[in-house]
Amino acid sequence: MTPDVLTSPVEPANRQRLDRWSAQLLRLSSLLLVTTVWISAALFGLYILAYYASALYQGDMARWNQVLPRLYEQTTTAATTGIGLHFAAGGIILILGSIQLVDSVRTRFPAVHRWVGRVYVVACVIAALGGLAFILMKGTIGGSAMNVGFALYGLLMLVAAVATYRYAVLGDMVRHRAWALRLYALAIGSWLYRIEYGFWVMLTDGLGHTKTFDGWFDRFMAFFFYLPNLLVVEVFVRASHRRAAPIARIAGSLVLLAATTFLIVGTYYFTLYYWGPAISNWITGAPQGRLGQ
């Protein structure tokens, strides 16, 4: 009698092949995502330094308001200092955080990984505190929804930074790695915020967005720019567990590949029209145009 293939157990050899294939797929998809994030986040980090730091150096602080109004006002020096520290530290963490994701650096140069990690964690704390200080002293342009969403973002970054450092000191590398990934997912939030807005404006002509950032889409984005990042990290952390089922690894790989495709398109668009021109102008000394063009 022919056995029922739907109820018969999978042959051990087939199960082992499926385990190896799904694990390899997860590794490749995660490598592709990390590479994409590394390149894109590094470009955005350079853009932050080129556009915002150069505005400070050139004495053209009003340029900050072209992206988000009311970031700079002469009457709110303390709040401006806080957001300035947030921007400066943000550029640093986007570049250093990407380096921390490279396996060869961690394994071949552990001392470099540790020292870069310390600077990275301190920069994350400064970025979080700077942003929180700005919200407490001045508030965001978008009102209560943006205040709550951005404040929660800053608090989560503080928690992740402390946990990342704590588990490294304790020698719990499994939890350290998980919290380091969560911290990085939060650290790239400001970068994703711009990419997601860019896609939305391009596809819907800014539906639900207002100049004062209090439209329904603006309120949604006050939380969306970082919470899905944490969800992707949790999927990856659980899928990469040794005991994870092959189907979980495959599902995790599909999530990572979808995120990679989104980031590749967004990176191309923003580098072509915003980040690239701003970085080029910074290097050549040419005047910065509107929105970094």
Side-chain angles (χ1 to χ4, degrees), residues 112-246:
V112 173
H113 176 74
R114 286 193 296 270
W115 277 105
V116 170
R118 292 186 182 106
V119 176
Y120 170 62
V121 167
V122 170
C124 287
V125 171
I126 292 174
L129 292 177
L132 288 170
F134 180 87
I135 294 171
L136 289 173
M137 288 185 284
K138 188 173 181 178
T140 64
I141 185 175
S144 299
M146 184 177 278
N147 289 342
V148 173
F150 280 34
L152 177 61
Y153 170 64
L155 291 172
L156 287 173
M157 183 175 286
L158 275 178
V159 170
V162 171
T164 298
Y165 180 77
R166 176 173 178 265
Y167 286 117
V169 171
L170 292 176
D172 189 341
M173 292 299 105
V174 174
R175 287 184 176 147
H176 165 70
R177 182 170 180 267
W179 277 104
L181 290 172
R182 294 181 185 114
L183 179 59
Y184 189 75
L186 291 166
I188 62 177
S190 60
W191 157 64
L192 285 174
Y193 186 74
R194 286 158 176 81
I195 288 182
E196 289 160 355
Y197 256 106
F199 267 111
W200 185 256
V201 171
M202 181 175 61
L203 295 175
T204 70
D205 196 29
L207 180 67
H209 167 61
T210 66
K211 292 183 178 180
T212 52
F213 286 80
D214 56 0
W216 67 263
F217 181 73
D218 301 311
R219 293 192 293 271
F220 172 74
M221 279 298 297
F223 300 89
F224 185 79
F225 76 97
Y226 60 92
L227 292 180
N229 313 355
L230 294 176
L231 178 61
V232 171
V233 167
E234 292 306 315
V235 169
F236 174 75
V237 169
R238 295 177 186 278
S240 59
H241 195 280
R242 290 182 179 180
R243 296 182 180 178

Side-chain angles (χ1 to χ4, degrees), residues 2 14 34 49 52 56 58 106 128-129 134 140 200-201 215 231 259:
T2 304
N14 292 338
V34 167
L49 297 176
Y52 291 96
L56 177 62
Q58 296 168 2
R106 292 199 304 268
L129 292 177
F134 180 87
T140 64
W200 185 256
V201 171
L231 178 61

Side-chain angles (χ1 to χ4, degrees), residues 6 27 31 33 86 100 131 226:
L6 296 178
R27 282 195 299 270
L31 177 61
L33 177 60
H86 174 79
Q100 292 299 87
Y226 60 92

